[in-house]
Amino acid sequence: MSAPRPLPAGVGDADFGRALAGFGDAVGAGHVLWDIAQLLPYGRIMLPLPDEDHQPSAVVMPASVEEIQKVLAVARRWHVPLWTVSTGRNFGYGSAAPATAGQVVLDLRRMNRILDVDAELGTALIEPGVTYQQLQAHLRERNIPLWLDFPAPGPLVSPLGNTLERGGGLTPYGDHFQHACGMEVVLADGSVLRTGLGGIADTTSWQAHRYGYGPYVDGLFTQSNFGIVSKMGIWLMPAPPAYRTIMAQWWQDEDLGRAVDAIRPLRLAETISNFGTLANATLMLTSMAKREEVYDGLGAIPIARANEFAKARGLPPWVYLFSLYGTPEQIEVDTRLVKRALEPHGATLVLDVDDPLQRNELSLQAFTLLNWNGGGGLCWFSPVAPNRGTDVVRQTELARRIMDAHGVDFMTGMTINGRDILNVMPLVFNRSDAVETALVRACFEELLTEFAAHGYGFYRTGIGFMDRVAELHGRAGHEFALRLKRALDPLGILAPGKSGIRI
Ligand SMILES: Cc1cc2nc3c(=O)[nH]c(=O)nc-3n(C[C@H](O)[C@H](O)[C@H](O)COP(=O)(O)OP(=O)(O)OC[C@H]3O[C@@H](n4cnc5c(N)ncnc54)[C@H](O)[C@@H]3O)c2cc1C
């Protein structure tokens, strides 16, 4: 058996051995992984960063809150940092790997109980290791007419892990944190906090009411390292009587601004209540072609070439895919409103399109993205724009210019909310090509700097870029996070570097 490498920063071999023995006592030796071969899947990242900067030193897999508390006691005793994951499939943002080398991954996949589903209220209480697929099977076996809102990698991933990253899906419940209700959090000192109404003895309303009494703190445990979330409530959507998925198409590349301005009133009025996506042709092509079929020249795919290839296959430069939900009568009325709002602004509408994720069906269709050039590299660039055509056009021009200069294909899938847009751009690349990987990294860093210089922030980022993104969001916010960190985790054992926060 090879020696565990690397070690946690500042921890010697002998002390680390003692910590591993302590973890074994806490969770059972079989649930502590430290052999290099066992650690491999936990250090596998898709980002344009060196593998060695994100290799864990070990993995510990507790099965209960009590075991988490015992693991924390060992971590505090030997100053071993713990990087918590629920299912660890944060693909394109770091997967299960820690922000810095040598942290011990605290893998919560063994905590996978569905603790409660209230079919009347449409709520569930789950543990971190529960996957969307597991929860969907649970509902279907019991004929409970509630829908889940899946992110694209739905079958594989955890509602809890996804929500803590403030991830999203496509139905009206697509903002996952907005539909989270009540958490149980194990703090670094081992104490257990229940947020919202979870602190009331024999609580009746923990999953029904989000805020509780006094400060509302749930947000502090998202994209942070202030605690280990061991349970979370989520709201589930009553199955609608009917739905209709619609594809609105704009046939000129220059139509982007007016498309956004035409969609906004429909989102603000909630005529369109779901989190539809406005995508460009290149992103859509990843589901039907390989890159080499589209373009075999040098550098990034020219937009004109991508658009021409797409048009020959019946796809326009811009597609907005969304759904209407309700009774058949409501859907007919809403369809008329949508037509009236979009058609005068250049859209052609295709009604009754099939998209599994918008109708409570799991699908891994989005993973075709990774076949684009088969290189295994993926890094999400996720800036936020106000929901205005001028801003989205400005972001698009900025991103295209920077990506072109680095030979990176421009793709985007924008989540259109009422007032803002998450302009999620995947940088897809060949990770086994060192030159290409270095270019993508430089491209990503320039994108961050330039977007911030134009007044845009970011909805989420991957390990390796967290310090930089925190810095770009301003000193006061970061200082505030550090003060909380010092109070809650003075030894800094929880996920140092998450969102740039470390003692
Ligand atoms: C093709 C493709 C499409 C994708 N589409 C989407 C999409 O539609 N929507 C979307 O949101 N994402 C998407 N992703 C990104 C990602 O795969 C998902 O967000 C996924 O849900 C995150 O992985 P996870 O659920 O296993 O979370 P984890 O990896 O378990 O957790 C994510 C992070 O949250 C924190 N964390 C997790 N659990 C805990 C805990 N119990 N306590 C404290 N902190 C914790 C940690 O910092 C961890 O790194 C996509 C990825 C790919 C490759």
Side-chain angles (χ1 to χ4, degrees), residues 46 83-93 95-97 108 128 132 150-153 156-162 164-169 176 221 224 227-230 366-367 369-370 378 380 459-460 495 498:
M46 302 166 125
W83 180 266
T84 306
V85 298
S86 288
T87 43
R89 291 173 176 138
N90 205 5
F91 303 129
Y93 290 108
S95 305
L108 300 182
Y132 285 96
F150 306 116
L156 309 170
V157 304
S158 140
L160 193 147
N162 184 281
L164 293 184
E165 282 289 85
R166 301 201 287 267
H176 293 166
F221 300 102
S224 81
I228 297 166
V229 180
S230 47
F367 279 82
L369 180 63
L370 300 170
L378 171 66
W380 298 101
Y459 120 83
R460 178 174 174 184
K498 176 73 185 177

Side-chain angles (χ1 to χ4, degrees), residues 26-27 60-73 76 82 106-108 110-113 115 125-128 160 183-194 206 228-232:
V27 300
V60 181
M61 295 189 285
S64 65
V65 167
E66 295 69 32
E67 289 190 3
I68 292 177
Q69 290 170 313
K70 289 181 190 165
V71 168
L72 280 168
R76 288 194 304 272
L82 300 172
L106 186 72
D107 180 349
L108 300 182
R110 292 176 66 221
M111 295 177 63
N112 63 354
R113 288 176 305 159
L115 299 164
L125 181 65
I126 54 168
E127 290 188 327
L160 193 147
M183 293 179 183
E184 179 186 84
V185 189
V186 188
L187 301 175
D189 66 0
S191 57
V192 176
L193 164 73
R194 288 188 170 188
W206 191 19
I228 297 166
V229 180
S230 47
K231 293 180 184 61
M232 192 181 72

Side-chain angles (χ1 to χ4, degrees), residues 33-63:
L33 314 180
W34 58 278
D35 179 68
I36 290 283
Q38 294 173 309
L39 297 186
L40 274 181
Y42 290 87
R44 204 170 279 146
I45 56 172
M46 302 166 125
L47 298 169
L49 301 167
D51 287 342
E52 58 272 21
D53 289 356
H54 301 284
Q55 293 308 299
S57 54
V59 176
V60 181
M61 295 189 285

Side-chain angles (χ1 to χ4, degrees), residues 398-410:
L398 197 55
R400 278 180 179 169
R401 179 173 60 70
I402 296 168
M403 290 190 191
D404 264 0
H406 292 85
V408 177
D409 297 336
F410 171 75

